[in-house]
Amino acid sequence: MTEQTTSEWTVDEARRSASGTAAQGVAWLIAFALTLSIAAALSFTLPLNVAVLVAVFQGGAALPLAFALERKLGTGPMAADHPLRSLSVQLAMVQILALPAVIMMYTLNPALVPATFAAIGGAHFLPYVWLHRTRIYLVLALAVSLGSWAITLSGVEGAYRLVMIWWPLCYIVAAGLLWRRHRQLHPAT
């Protein structure tokens, strides 16, 4: 943190600080890539209706892991009075509001749940293009959302499993690119 108070920050300074504390969101992508990969692996041994529930609820394990990783990778905790603190929390949690669509899809056709959930998760990255000032999040949002539906609509048997592999793969690639960017912007971390 700087000596200046947060009320004196420009929007760009606040965005730069928020990105630094979050390490560009790398910790979150790594944590969710890990838990989604585990869910993908389990999809080969579990029945469809159970495998997709594992995918939906894997966030319960990813969340604490992401917080722990963020403390290790970021530039330090975000100040309680940071001007973008509440916005950052809202951006991170917005996809929870779409959970009813995932539940509805589960009752109609469980095989469509991974693509639905991935599309929602992917779309929630769009505001991060602005927050972190990088198009990496735009590409990630499009790749996860549209890629998952393209895989699903391909008609390949077991496409839901391919979505569950594609999704964390996109996260890992984005995490690598974002980590490189974070290291360039914050060489001391």
Side-chain angles (χ1 to χ4, degrees), residues 112 114-116 118-119 141-160 162-163 166:
L112 297 178
T116 303
L142 293 172
V144 170
S145 298
L146 299 179
S148 295
W149 277 105
I151 292 167
T152 300
L153 295 174
S154 72
V156 173
E157 186 175 335
Y160 74 95
L162 296 176
V163 169
W166 170 251

Side-chain angles (χ1 to χ4, degrees), residues 8-134:
E8 297 171 347
W9 286 9
T10 66
V11 172
D12 281 340
E13 288 170 332
R15 287 165 57 196
R16 189 172 13 268
S17 171
S19 288
T21 62
Q24 305 287 312
V26 169
W28 295 87
L29 293 172
I30 292 170
F32 278 88
L34 177 64
T35 57
L36 285 167
S37 294
I38 292 168
L42 289 173
S43 76
F44 288 93
T45 61
L46 297 173
L48 168 65
N49 61 337
V50 176
V52 297
L53 286 176
V54 170
V56 170
F57 292 108
Q58 53 70 40
L63 204 59
L65 177 59
F67 280 120
L69 282 172
E70 188 174 70
R71 293 282 185 226
K72 297 275 186 207
L73 301 176
T75 59
M78 185 181 280
D81 65 340
H82 193 286
L84 295 180
R85 186 178 183 89
S86 63
L87 178 62
S88 295
V89 172
Q90 291 171 21
L91 291 177
M93 304 309 286
V94 72
Q95 73 274 14
I96 289 174
L97 295 175
L99 197 55
V102 174
I103 294 167
M104 184 180 72
M105 193 59 70
Y106 181 82
T107 62
L108 296 174
N109 185 350
L112 297 178
V113 167
T116 303
F117 202 37
I120 293 165
H124 112 278
F125 289 124
L126 290 174
Y128 291 111
V129 176
W130 174 82
L131 180 65
H132 295 294
R133 300 175 323 263
T134 177

